[in-house]
Amino acid sequence: MTVNDIKHEGLKKWINDFAALTKPDSVYVCDGSKKEYDSLIDKMVSSGLAIRLNPDKKPGSVLFRSDPSDVARVEKRTYIASEKQEDAGPTNNWIEPHELKKTMTELYKGSMKGRTMYVIPFSMGPVGSEFSKIGVEITDSEYVVCNMIIMTRVGKKVLEQLGTDGYYVPCYHSVGKPLSKGESDNGIWPCADMEHKYIAHFPETREIWSYGSGYGGNALLGKKCLALRIATVLARDEGWLAEHMLILKLTSPEGKVRYITAAFPSACGKTNLAMLIPTIKDWKVETLSDDIAWLRFGSDGRLYAMAVETGFFGVAPGTSMKSNPNALISASKNTIFTNVGLTEDGDVWWEGIGYDAPGKLIDWHGKEWIQDKNNKDQAPAAHPNSRFTAPAVQCPTLAKEWDDPKGVPVSAILFGGRRPSTIPLVHMSRDWTHGTFLGSIVGSEVTAATLDVASGIRRDPMAMKPFIGYNAGDYFKHWLDVGKSAKDQSLLPKIFYVNWFRKTDDGKWLWPGYGDNSRVLKWIFECCEGTAKTVDTPIGIMPTVDAIDRPEGVTEDDMKALLSVDIDGWLKEVNDIRNNYYPQFGDHLPKELMDLLNNLESRLRAAK
Ligand code: SAT
Ligand code: MN
């Protein structure tokens, strides 16, 4: 399609103005069709940017290798450019918006010369749902277009929905000018050096400007930029929640269904939980989302969660037939792989795929690589953040209601992190406010190499630290307000804090995790039914030691350790929150959270 096919005058002008600035050779409006996707992939295969994989092994799939400097989100170059710095809060980088726009406008000048400018109209959430949001991304990267076609709903239907004057979130993206004269411009990874990369959000005007990176959340602007950072601002103003949560459907042997959402920091197994295969008989888990959920009240007073993406942008390393067969099957065809290893017969390979490298590989740098199992320090064949972009409809456990425009009613919300000690396997909050407190203190251990806080815990509230588009203290208040706005408190989801990562003093895992997490889901289900065996403790409501079916290899003593309240450990936790964590929020920290911290401390002291 061309710009002249667009009926929306405001959108047309916005596109033409940006083309006048960036000077592309041509402008193309995406229709989101398979034909368009195929021809863009063909183009990148012909130019050598993409490698077509063996159609017998991975039909319809390709491999990309990014620039080695452009392999992940860059938090230090990600900005919330609100008018006032205070509104960005202590967890975000900030630059005054007019100044940042001036800098970035200079960078965008002529940045698309020699390339095609693509216009991607996309919808987060089903097209036409009253919960969905439309964005339009302008990019000069075909890689971005193809990934966006898998991850979001793109094209004509979205333009029709926009009509002649509908609202969209404007998103600029350019991979940037070639770094130096004479440098080859391969059209997707020229990318700016670090000081010239910007992933910018303007919360007041609801705009996204991205420059100098072609990878993942920096470039697929529907994902973290729109569906989380800008959406949190819209959600605050409109009374809903935009969250870094998976959505799963849990069905009991009796056929009763409960929907659960869960937020974990990265590398804590969100995709694995969303696609879990239960180890308990006749229980079933189905998948609705593995990364992002938008939650709102329905007219019946219940909180509904909607999946907003149409694909998985999953981490490849560690994904195997054992850890997550459903993810592997999802990515078995029509998939874009980025930065994984390539086998001689045109298949992909990565560390933790479950079998040894079959002969010589080409690693993610494009160099020959031979596995050396005696060398623990061997550089990996696949980058640790290498990814598969796979269509959700290929997931064998996709729930039939995954694209229901109303979303699904949520019974339970889980928070969790990687905590070798202190935090028990599971505990339930007393109410929504206490649940918000638990979400606010979520953290994961940091390794010695990245130790940046006294306690060794990196706090990641609601697993949203990098994704809250405004002051995190105000975001906590918004969570509390959402709870208060419920028509009926008894219809609010119950909130849990889980920890699959407890270790013994000598460093062994106490809990097997993966499919056995279904045993914890079962107890959570029973809490929702009101049939669970529970005990009230200083930290919240916990299972009795016999309430959760024990997996093979877990002794009763292990279970006791997993479900005990470590009073001294928690007192240290309280201390860390009080002295090292909460103070950064200043007077933006809601008083209720400080009250709950005090209350927790008194209960712990009383139990000592
Ligand atoms: O790069 S993404 O933000 O899309 C994925 C991630 O880092 O969690
Ligand atoms: Mn994520």
Side-chain angles (χ1 to χ4, degrees):
M1 286 192 287
T2 70
V3 182
N4 288 332
D5 297 321
I6 294 177
K7 307 262 171 340
H8 188 301
E9 290 305 322
L11 175 57
K12 239 168 129 159
K13 177 171 184 322
W14 176 72
I15 297 166
N16 287 333
D17 287 352
F18 198 54
L21 179 68
T22 54
K23 307 254 179 325
D25 286 2
S26 58
V27 179
Y28 174 86
V29 180
C30 301
D31 63 17
S33 64
K34 167 131 186 16
K35 194 166 145 233
E36 176 178 279
Y37 176 90
D38 289 344
S39 75
L40 288 173
I41 292 283
D42 284 347
K43 188 175 161 196
M44 290 187 281
V45 170
S46 319
S47 70
L49 277 177
I51 296 162
R52 198 177 292 289
L53 296 171
N54 182 340
D56 294 330
K57 306 266 178 185
K58 292 282 179 296
S61 304
V62 284
L63 167 66
F64 287 88
R65 297 188 194 111
S66 78
D67 188 277
S69 68
D70 199 32
V71 293
R73 278 185 293 109
V74 278
E75 284 176 21
K76 65 174 184 228
R77 304 298 305 171
T78 301
Y79 295 90
I80 299 298
S82 43
E83 300 276 340
K84 287 198 249 140
Q85 180 162 13
E86 188 177 355
D87 292 335
T91 56
N92 288 309
N93 301 313
W94 179 83
I95 297 178
E96 197 281 323
H98 300 95
E99 185 192 323
L100 181 53
K101 283 192 171 174
K102 218 168 114 200
T103 307
M104 292 188 72
T105 301
E106 280 307 309
L107 291 170
Y108 282 132
K109 254 184 208 163
S111 75
M112 295 191 182
K113 255 186 216 154
R115 304 191 195 125
T116 301
M117 171 168 139
Y118 296 90
V119 177
I120 315 171
F122 65 94
S123 175
M124 300 314 290
V127 179
S129 162
E130 56 178 320
F131 293 174
S132 299
K133 298 284 176 199
I134 289 177
V136 182
E137 175 165 355
I138 296 181
T139 181
D140 49 7
S141 159
E142 283 116 15
Y143 171 84
V144 166
V145 176
C146 292
N147 274 273
M148 283 291 283
I149 288 178
I150 296 178
M151 294 302 297
T152 73
R153 293 140 171 112
V154 167
K156 278 196 183 126
K157 272 207 224 114
V158 178
L159 285 177
E160 275 161 29
Q161 181 67 26
L162 263 184
T164 54
D165 61 354
Y167 178 74
Y168 61 93
V169 175
C171 312
Y172 292 146
H173 173 251
S174 172
V175 289
K177 292 174 230 191
L179 289 177
S180 55
K181 265 216 170 78
E183 189 171 355
S184 74
D185 175 7
N186 67 20
I188 64 168
W189 315 109
C191 302
D193 38 30
M194 209 36 111
E195 313 82 88
H196 295 105
K197 284 188 209 285
Y198 290 94
I199 321 300
H201 308 72
F202 301 92
E204 281 93 1
T205 50
R206 284 134 199 213
E207 293 167 275
I208 299 163
W209 291 25
S210 169
Y211 182 90
S213 168
Y215 200 81
N218 303 331
L220 315 177
L221 301 184
K223 198 171 174 57
K224 303 298 208 267
C225 298
L226 195 161
L228 290 176
R229 296 194 195 94
I230 291 296
T232 52
V233 174
L234 300 171
R236 175 197 61 193
D237 295 349
E238 298 168 7
W240 50 282
L241 294 167
E243 297 300 324
H244 191 203
M245 288 178 178
L246 65 90
I247 312 172
L248 66 81
K249 174 183 180 182
L250 181 62
T251 307
S252 72
E254 294 74 37
K256 178 134 196 199
V257 170
R258 295 270 179 191
Y259 298 96
I260 296 176
T261 68
F264 305 117
S266 48
C268 294
K270 261 192 6 268
T271 304
N272 291 347
L273 184 64
M275 299 180 186
L276 168 150
I277 298 174
T279 52
I280 40 177
K281 204 167 166 296
D282 296 331
W283 285 77
K284 194 156 109 190
V285 167
E286 289 163 273
T287 313
L288 289 95
S289 163
D290 80 328
D291 197 38
I292 299 177
W294 287 356
L295 297 96
R296 304 189 186 234
F297 289 108
S299 51
D300 58 0
R302 300 191 66 185
L303 196 62
Y304 282 69
M306 181 177 80
V308 297
E309 299 181 288
T310 54
F312 309 120
F313 187 65
V315 177
T319 307
S320 69
M321 260 338 220
K322 188 153 167 262
S323 69
N324 194 340
N326 290 318
L328 268 194
I329 296 166
S330 304
S332 60
K333 57 184 179 184
N334 309 319
T335 293
I336 296 174
F337 293 92
T338 309
N339 290 342
V340 300
L342 175 68
T343 67
E344 281 179 309
D345 60 355
D347 201 351
V348 291
W349 188 88
W350 50 73
E351 282 68 26
I353 198 170
Y355 50 86
D356 290 343
K360 246 192 274 170
L361 303 186
I362 306 292
D363 70 8
W364 72 277
H365 290 286
K367 301 230 167 66
E368 191 170 284
W369 187 93
I370 297 167
Q371 189 169 25
D372 178 1
K373 291 206 278 181
N374 297 322
N375 177 4
K376 285 216 165 48
D377 299 325
Q378 186 180 25
H383 186 277
N385 192 40
S386 56
R387 299 275 172 163
F388 55 82
T389 318
V393 292
Q394 294 182 178
C395 178
T397 52
L398 192 71
K400 64 177 189 322
E401 57 277 60
W402 76 282
D403 60 351
D404 188 324
K406 290 193 312 299
V408 293
V410 180
S411 295
I413 294 175
L414 277 47
F415 291 118
R418 215 173 246 279
R419 296 293 303 267
S421 66
T422 313
I423 311 291
L425 179 62
V426 57
H427 66 293
M428 179 170 71
S429 68
R430 296 190 185 85
D431 55 25
W432 180 273
T433 304
H434 183 221
T436 302
F437 169 76
L438 293 183
S440 81
I441 65 170
V442 163
S444 261
E445 66 171 320
V446 289
T447 59
T450 55
L451 202 77
D452 61 351
V453 280
S455 64
I457 302 301
R458 190 196 306 267
R459 301 282 165 193
D460 187 352
M462 282 82 171
M464 281 287 281
K465 181 169 176 274
F467 308 123
I468 303 169
Y470 59 102
N471 189 304
D474 298 343
Y475 165 82
F476 297 151
K477 177 172 182 303
H478 178 61
W479 259 83
L480 297 172
D481 288 346
V482 166
K484 285 175 201 150
S485 74
K487 267 201 276 195
D488 177 347
Q489 294 290 312
S490 74
L491 295 179
L492 279 169
K494 296 189 184 309
I495 301 180
F496 298 80
Y497 194 162
V498 299
N499 178 23
W500 320 134
F501 300 96
R502 275 296 285 273
K503 284 185 177 168
T504 58
D505 290 340
D506 53 357
K508 294 203 194 75
W509 297 115
L510 266 171
W511 181 252
Y514 297 106
D516 283 318
N517 292 337
S518 57
R519 296 165 197 269
V520 177
L521 295 183
K522 173 171 176 262
W523 182 77
I524 289 168
F525 183 101
E526 290 162 356
C527 286
C528 299
E529 295 287 312
T531 59
K533 287 200 203 167
T534 62
V535 46
D536 196 11
T537 78
I539 61 170
I541 296 151
M542 291 183 57
T544 55
V545 172
D546 62 343
I548 293 180
D549 301 325
R550 269 193 281 134
E552 216 176 292
V554 175
T555 65
E556 195 174 336
D557 281 346
D558 292 338
M559 211 64 200
K560 279 186 188 146
L562 283 160
L563 295 176
S564 67
V565 180
D566 171 1
I567 302 274
D568 289 332
W570 272 96
L571 281 168
K572 266 202 227 142
E573 188 83 8
V574 168
N575 201 37
D576 181 51
I577 295 165
R578 190 185 298 289
N579 298 313
N580 303 322
Y581 174 53
Y582 271 178
Q584 65 184 304
F585 304 111
D587 55 10
H588 288 265
L589 185 80
K591 183 175 170 301
E592 285 103 319
L593 298 189
M594 194 48 100
D595 290 347
L596 278 167
L597 185 67
N598 293 335
N599 177 282
L600 172 61
E601 179 162 12
S602 334
R603 285 183 193 239
L604 289 165
R605 293 211 182 281
K608 211 171 145 86

